[in-house]
Amino acid sequence: MVKIGVLISGSGSNLQEIIDACNEKRINAEVAVVISNRQNAYGLERALKSSIPAVYIDPKKEDFNKKVIEILEKYKVELVCLAGFLLKISEEFVKKYRGKILNIHPALLPKYGGAGMYGVHVHDAVIKAKEKVSGCTVHIVDEEYDKGTIILQKKVKVLKSDTPEILQKRVLEQEHIAYPEAIKIVIKMLFEKTKNH
Ligand code: GAR
């Protein structure tokens, strides 16, 4: 069973989907630890409700990334999932878990990614640009913000009546399907040996 570490900053609804997918054995993994840069993130409560260690790390600390790595090592994490984690991780972090860090983004990357593109801001930009289709992307994290290899995307129609908040809700529903699916693909790619090996 692959040990997953999930990094969050907020509600953690994607985290919940990952926990549920593990519990229901839709993916061959377990969430070993949840780490947040916000003390009051609801996702920490979700973790505790599922008896998963929940750790807050102060983002103001200079060695924030080092501390995160220490915790991931303590829980023997093999795959890192950023799920609404709103800080950019350090190059050292990327190097340490190269190819084994996933992120979910609420748009069809490479469009509407990068600094400042998070949460409702993304949907606001999509509507302002009069896009007809939006969606979500699960990708591998590398040194460049929101630019790593795409694992999968799910599309959502943008309706004339959409506000950023309404679109956000529909995209989030697709995120909840996409993230466990993407994790399953990555686990197969990275950790499950084929019969020929
Ligand atoms: C999700 O919509 C996720 O795609 C987004 O934050 C939300 C977190 O929701 N992430 C970003 O915008 C990253 N740039 P959740 O805490 O309920 O999973």
Side-chain angles (χ1 to χ4, degrees):
M1 227 176 347
V2 176
K3 287 183 185 296
I4 297 179
V6 184
L7 271 58
I8 56 153
S9 299
S11 155
S13 69
N14 278 293
L15 161 69
Q16 190 65 57
E17 293 298 325
I18 298 169
I19 294 173
D20 293 349
C22 291
N23 288 343
E24 291 161 18
K25 309 212 181 313
R26 280 183 278 132
I27 47 182
N28 186 22
E30 64 172 319
V31 178
V33 64
V34 173
I35 301 173
S36 172
N37 65 313
R38 288 204 188 134
Q39 201 158 20
N40 59 357
Y42 181 61
L44 289 174
E45 270 182 54
R46 292 184 194 266
L48 292 175
K49 275 187 193 153
S50 292
S51 309
I52 295 165
V55 182
Y56 159 69
I57 302 176
D58 184 351
K60 290 194 288 294
K61 293 231 168 79
E62 219 181 280
D63 56 351
F64 174 79
N65 279 271
K66 266 203 184 115
K67 287 245 156 67
V68 173
I69 292 170
E70 263 173 42
I71 299 292
L72 294 175
E73 284 181 333
K74 178 175 167 192
Y75 289 96
K76 302 193 172 19
V77 165
E78 303 164 276
L79 180 67
V80 180
C81 293
L82 311 185
F85 182 69
L86 301 181
L87 298 180
K88 191 171 188 291
I89 64 172
S90 69
E91 288 190 6
E92 186 197 355
F93 190 164
V94 173
K95 224 169 157 182
K96 173 118 191 110
Y97 289 91
R98 168 91 53 210
K100 294 178 178 165
I101 308 172
L102 299 180
N103 179 45
I104 188 149
H105 186 78
L108 296 175
L109 293 173
K111 280 182 156 184
Y112 306 103
M117 281 294 170
Y118 63 90
V120 82
H121 302 294
V122 178
H123 308 292
D124 193 34
V126 166
I127 287 174
K128 280 197 174 124
K130 297 195 170 24
E131 295 284 358
K132 290 198 166 62
V133 181
S134 189
C136 63
T137 304
V138 181
H139 66 97
I140 307 247
V141 174
D142 63 17
E143 284 83 353
E144 278 191 279
Y145 215 45
D146 290 337
K147 292 242 169 96
T149 306
I150 291 172
I151 303 295
L152 69 80
Q153 297 187 307
K154 296 250 179 232
K155 289 182 180 166
V156 168
K157 269 192 188 158
V158 182
L159 306 176
K160 285 222 169 75
S161 54
D162 273 341
T163 62
E165 290 75 17
I166 292 171
L167 180 59
Q168 180 178 42
K169 220 173 143 206
R170 285 209 315 287
V171 171
L172 192 61
E173 282 169 14
Q174 291 305 309
E175 291 182 43
H176 292 165
I177 300 167
Y179 218 162
E181 262 183 47
I183 292 171
K184 197 172 172 168
I185 293 170
V186 169
I187 287 179
K188 217 170 189 171
M189 262 167 30
L190 295 179
F191 301 101
E192 287 173 2
K193 291 193 178 110
T194 63
K195 280 183 197 153
N196 300 328
H197 285 102

